[in-house]
Short mmCIF file of all heavy atoms in Angstrom, two decimals:
data_model
loop_
_atom_site.label_atom_id
_atom_site.label_comp_id
_atom_site.label_asym_id
_atom_site.label_seq_id
_atom_site.Cartn_x
_atom_site.Cartn_y
_atom_site.Cartn_z
N PHE N 1 176.80 12.35 -39.48
CA PHE N 1 176.66 11.51 -40.65
C PHE N 1 177.29 10.18 -40.29
O PHE N 1 178.32 10.14 -39.62
CB PHE N 1 177.38 12.10 -41.86
CG PHE N 1 176.71 13.31 -42.44
CD1 PHE N 1 177.29 14.55 -42.32
CD2 PHE N 1 175.51 13.20 -43.10
CE1 PHE N 1 176.69 15.67 -42.85
CE2 PHE N 1 174.90 14.31 -43.64
CZ PHE N 1 175.48 15.54 -43.51
N GLU N 2 176.70 9.12 -40.76
CA GLU N 2 177.23 7.80 -40.44
C GLU N 2 178.61 7.58 -41.05
O GLU N 2 179.49 7.01 -40.43
CB GLU N 2 176.28 6.70 -40.92
CG GLU N 2 175.04 6.53 -40.07
CD GLU N 2 173.98 7.59 -40.32
OE1 GLU N 2 173.97 8.17 -41.43
OE2 GLU N 2 173.19 7.87 -39.41
N ASN N 3 178.82 8.03 -42.27
CA ASN N 3 180.05 7.72 -42.99
C ASN N 3 180.87 8.95 -43.40
O ASN N 3 181.87 8.81 -44.08
CB ASN N 3 179.73 6.92 -44.25
CG ASN N 3 178.98 5.64 -43.94
OD1 ASN N 3 179.30 4.96 -42.98
ND2 ASN N 3 177.97 5.34 -44.72
N PHE N 4 180.44 10.15 -43.00
CA PHE N 4 181.08 11.36 -43.51
C PHE N 4 181.38 12.33 -42.38
O PHE N 4 180.76 12.29 -41.33
CB PHE N 4 180.18 12.06 -44.53
CG PHE N 4 179.73 11.18 -45.64
CD1 PHE N 4 178.44 10.69 -45.68
CD2 PHE N 4 180.60 10.83 -46.65
CE1 PHE N 4 178.03 9.87 -46.69
CE2 PHE N 4 180.19 10.01 -47.68
CZ PHE N 4 178.90 9.54 -47.69
N ASP N 5 182.30 13.23 -42.66
CA ASP N 5 182.61 14.32 -41.74
C ASP N 5 181.97 15.58 -42.31
O ASP N 5 182.31 16.01 -43.41
CB ASP N 5 184.12 14.48 -41.61
CG ASP N 5 184.50 15.58 -40.65
OD1 ASP N 5 183.64 16.01 -39.85
OD2 ASP N 5 185.67 16.00 -40.67
N SER N 6 181.06 16.19 -41.56
CA SER N 6 180.35 17.36 -42.07
C SER N 6 181.26 18.59 -42.14
O SER N 6 180.89 19.59 -42.74
CB SER N 6 179.13 17.67 -41.22
OG SER N 6 179.52 18.00 -39.90
N LYS N 7 182.44 18.53 -41.55
CA LYS N 7 183.38 19.65 -41.64
C LYS N 7 183.97 19.77 -43.04
O LYS N 7 184.50 20.81 -43.40
CB LYS N 7 184.52 19.47 -40.62
CG LYS N 7 184.07 19.25 -39.20
CD LYS N 7 183.46 20.48 -38.60
CE LYS N 7 183.22 20.33 -37.12
NZ LYS N 7 181.91 19.99 -36.73
N ASN N 8 183.91 18.72 -43.85
CA ASN N 8 184.42 18.75 -45.22
C ASN N 8 183.37 19.22 -46.22
O ASN N 8 183.60 19.17 -47.41
CB ASN N 8 184.93 17.38 -45.64
CG ASN N 8 186.14 16.97 -44.85
OD1 ASN N 8 186.91 17.81 -44.42
ND2 ASN N 8 186.31 15.68 -44.65
N LEU N 9 182.24 19.67 -45.75
CA LEU N 9 181.14 20.10 -46.59
C LEU N 9 181.22 21.60 -46.83
O LEU N 9 181.46 22.36 -45.89
CB LEU N 9 179.82 19.75 -45.91
CG LEU N 9 178.54 20.14 -46.60
CD1 LEU N 9 178.35 19.30 -47.84
CD2 LEU N 9 177.38 19.95 -45.66
N THR N 10 181.05 22.02 -48.07
CA THR N 10 181.03 23.44 -48.42
C THR N 10 179.71 23.76 -49.10
O THR N 10 179.34 23.12 -50.09
CB THR N 10 182.19 23.81 -49.36
OG1 THR N 10 183.41 23.44 -48.73
CG2 THR N 10 182.20 25.28 -49.67
N ILE N 11 179.00 24.74 -48.57
CA ILE N 11 177.77 25.21 -49.20
C ILE N 11 178.18 26.23 -50.25
O ILE N 11 178.67 27.31 -49.92
CB ILE N 11 176.82 25.87 -48.17
CG1 ILE N 11 176.60 24.98 -46.96
CG2 ILE N 11 175.51 26.26 -48.84
CD1 ILE N 11 175.83 23.73 -47.20
N VAL N 12 177.98 25.91 -51.52
CA VAL N 12 178.44 26.77 -52.60
C VAL N 12 177.40 27.83 -52.92
O VAL N 12 177.72 29.02 -53.04
CB VAL N 12 178.77 25.94 -53.86
CG1 VAL N 12 179.18 26.83 -55.01
CG2 VAL N 12 179.85 24.92 -53.55
N ASP N 13 176.15 27.45 -53.04
CA ASP N 13 175.11 28.40 -53.44
C ASP N 13 173.75 27.91 -52.98
O ASP N 13 173.54 26.71 -52.80
CB ASP N 13 175.12 28.57 -54.96
CG ASP N 13 174.39 29.81 -55.43
OD1 ASP N 13 174.08 30.69 -54.59
OD2 ASP N 13 174.14 29.93 -56.64
N VAL N 14 172.84 28.85 -52.81
CA VAL N 14 171.45 28.55 -52.50
C VAL N 14 170.59 29.31 -53.50
O VAL N 14 170.72 30.53 -53.62
CB VAL N 14 171.07 28.95 -51.06
CG1 VAL N 14 169.60 28.70 -50.79
CG2 VAL N 14 171.92 28.22 -50.04
N ILE N 15 169.75 28.58 -54.22
CA ILE N 15 168.86 29.20 -55.21
C ILE N 15 167.43 28.98 -54.76
O ILE N 15 167.00 27.84 -54.54
CB ILE N 15 169.09 28.61 -56.61
CG1 ILE N 15 170.52 28.89 -57.05
CG2 ILE N 15 168.09 29.19 -57.60
CD1 ILE N 15 170.90 28.29 -58.37
N LEU N 16 166.69 30.07 -54.63
CA LEU N 16 165.30 30.02 -54.19
C LEU N 16 164.35 30.26 -55.35
O LEU N 16 164.68 31.00 -56.29
CB LEU N 16 165.05 31.09 -53.12
CG LEU N 16 165.62 30.78 -51.75
CD1 LEU N 16 165.84 32.04 -50.97
CD2 LEU N 16 164.68 29.87 -51.01
N THR N 17 163.18 29.65 -55.26
CA THR N 17 162.13 29.94 -56.23
C THR N 17 161.58 31.34 -55.94
O THR N 17 161.75 31.85 -54.83
CB THR N 17 161.01 28.90 -56.14
OG1 THR N 17 160.50 28.86 -54.81
CG2 THR N 17 161.50 27.52 -56.54
N PRO N 18 160.94 31.98 -56.91
CA PRO N 18 160.43 33.34 -56.68
C PRO N 18 159.44 33.46 -55.52
O PRO N 18 159.36 34.51 -54.88
CB PRO N 18 159.75 33.69 -58.01
CG PRO N 18 160.47 32.88 -59.01
CD PRO N 18 160.81 31.59 -58.32
N ASP N 19 158.70 32.39 -55.22
CA ASP N 19 157.77 32.45 -54.09
C ASP N 19 158.41 32.09 -52.75
O ASP N 19 157.74 32.06 -51.73
CB ASP N 19 156.55 31.56 -54.35
CG ASP N 19 156.91 30.09 -54.51
OD1 ASP N 19 158.11 29.75 -54.47
OD2 ASP N 19 155.98 29.29 -54.67
N LEU N 20 159.71 31.82 -52.75
CA LEU N 20 160.50 31.48 -51.56
C LEU N 20 160.02 30.22 -50.85
O LEU N 20 160.26 30.04 -49.65
CB LEU N 20 160.52 32.66 -50.56
CG LEU N 20 161.01 34.01 -51.08
CD1 LEU N 20 160.91 35.06 -50.00
CD2 LEU N 20 162.42 33.91 -51.60
N LYS N 21 159.38 29.32 -51.56
CA LYS N 21 158.87 28.09 -50.96
C LYS N 21 159.83 26.92 -51.11
O LYS N 21 159.75 25.96 -50.35
CB LYS N 21 157.52 27.70 -51.58
CG LYS N 21 156.44 28.72 -51.42
CD LYS N 21 155.72 28.54 -50.13
CE LYS N 21 154.59 29.55 -50.07
NZ LYS N 21 153.66 29.30 -49.04
N ASN N 22 160.72 26.95 -52.10
CA ASN N 22 161.66 25.86 -52.35
C ASN N 22 163.06 26.42 -52.51
O ASN N 22 163.24 27.48 -53.11
CB ASN N 22 161.28 25.09 -53.62
CG ASN N 22 159.92 24.43 -53.49
OD1 ASN N 22 159.69 23.67 -52.57
ND2 ASN N 22 159.04 24.74 -54.42
N ALA N 23 164.03 25.68 -51.97
CA ALA N 23 165.42 26.10 -52.07
C ALA N 23 166.27 24.93 -52.55
O ALA N 23 166.13 23.82 -52.06
CB ALA N 23 165.92 26.60 -50.73
N LYS N 24 167.12 25.22 -53.53
CA LYS N 24 168.12 24.25 -53.99
C LYS N 24 169.43 24.67 -53.35
O LYS N 24 169.90 25.79 -53.55
CB LYS N 24 168.27 24.28 -55.51
CG LYS N 24 167.09 23.78 -56.26
CD LYS N 24 167.40 23.83 -57.75
CE LYS N 24 166.24 23.34 -58.57
NZ LYS N 24 166.54 23.41 -60.02
N ILE N 25 170.03 23.75 -52.59
CA ILE N 25 171.30 24.03 -51.94
C ILE N 25 172.38 23.22 -52.64
O ILE N 25 172.32 21.99 -52.67
CB ILE N 25 171.24 23.70 -50.44
CG1 ILE N 25 170.13 24.51 -49.76
CG2 ILE N 25 172.59 23.95 -49.78
CD1 ILE N 25 169.94 24.20 -48.31
N PHE N 26 173.35 23.92 -53.21
CA PHE N 26 174.43 23.27 -53.93
C PHE N 26 175.63 23.13 -52.99
O PHE N 26 176.07 24.12 -52.40
CB PHE N 26 174.81 24.08 -55.17
CG PHE N 26 173.74 24.06 -56.22
CD1 PHE N 26 172.76 25.04 -56.26
CD2 PHE N 26 173.70 23.04 -57.15
CE1 PHE N 26 171.77 25.02 -57.22
CE2 PHE N 26 172.71 23.01 -58.12
CZ PHE N 26 171.74 23.99 -58.14
N VAL N 27 176.11 21.90 -52.85
CA VAL N 27 177.21 21.61 -51.94
C VAL N 27 178.34 20.91 -52.68
O VAL N 27 178.13 20.31 -53.73
CB VAL N 27 176.76 20.75 -50.75
CG1 VAL N 27 175.71 21.45 -49.92
CG2 VAL N 27 176.24 19.41 -51.20
N THR N 28 179.52 21.00 -52.10
CA THR N 28 180.65 20.25 -52.60
C THR N 28 181.42 19.70 -51.40
O THR N 28 181.32 20.24 -50.30
CB THR N 28 181.57 21.12 -53.49
OG1 THR N 28 182.57 20.31 -54.07
CG2 THR N 28 182.21 22.24 -52.72
N THR N 29 182.13 18.62 -51.63
CA THR N 29 182.89 17.98 -50.57
C THR N 29 184.31 17.72 -51.04
O THR N 29 184.62 17.87 -52.21
CB THR N 29 182.26 16.63 -50.17
OG1 THR N 29 182.29 15.76 -51.29
CG2 THR N 29 180.83 16.80 -49.69
N ASN N 30 185.13 17.30 -50.11
CA ASN N 30 186.51 16.93 -50.47
C ASN N 30 186.56 15.55 -51.11
O ASN N 30 187.48 15.23 -51.83
CB ASN N 30 187.40 16.94 -49.23
CG ASN N 30 187.61 18.33 -48.71
OD1 ASN N 30 187.33 19.31 -49.38
ND2 ASN N 30 188.09 18.44 -47.48
N SER N 31 185.58 14.72 -50.83
CA SER N 31 185.56 13.36 -51.35
C SER N 31 184.82 13.32 -52.67
O SER N 31 183.61 13.54 -52.71
CB SER N 31 184.88 12.44 -50.34
OG SER N 31 184.66 11.18 -50.90
N GLU N 32 185.52 13.03 -53.74
CA GLU N 32 184.87 12.96 -55.06
C GLU N 32 184.20 11.62 -55.30
O GLU N 32 183.33 11.51 -56.14
CB GLU N 32 185.90 13.22 -56.15
CG GLU N 32 186.45 14.62 -56.14
CD GLU N 32 187.45 14.87 -57.25
OE1 GLU N 32 187.51 14.04 -58.18
OE2 GLU N 32 188.15 15.88 -57.18
N THR N 33 184.61 10.60 -54.56
CA THR N 33 184.11 9.25 -54.84
C THR N 33 182.74 8.98 -54.24
O THR N 33 181.99 8.18 -54.77
CB THR N 33 185.10 8.20 -54.31
OG1 THR N 33 185.28 8.41 -52.89
CG2 THR N 33 186.43 8.32 -55.01
N GLU N 34 182.38 9.67 -53.16
CA GLU N 34 181.14 9.34 -52.46
C GLU N 34 180.10 10.46 -52.52
O GLU N 34 179.25 10.56 -51.64
CB GLU N 34 181.47 9.01 -51.01
CG GLU N 34 182.41 7.83 -50.88
CD GLU N 34 182.86 7.63 -49.45
OE1 GLU N 34 182.98 8.63 -48.72
OE2 GLU N 34 183.10 6.48 -49.08
N ASN N 35 180.16 11.30 -53.54
CA ASN N 35 179.26 12.44 -53.61
C ASN N 35 177.80 12.04 -53.70
O ASN N 35 176.94 12.65 -53.06
CB ASN N 35 179.62 13.32 -54.81
CG ASN N 35 180.90 14.08 -54.57
OD1 ASN N 35 181.22 14.43 -53.45
ND2 ASN N 35 181.64 14.31 -55.63
#
């Protein structure tokens, strides 16, 4: 990442559609200002 450290990234949850074609990936970081 140009401006971020990917080690501070946490994958919280992955929600898939019933047909498994789309996935929503919910992430959180240590930096609250640049989310």
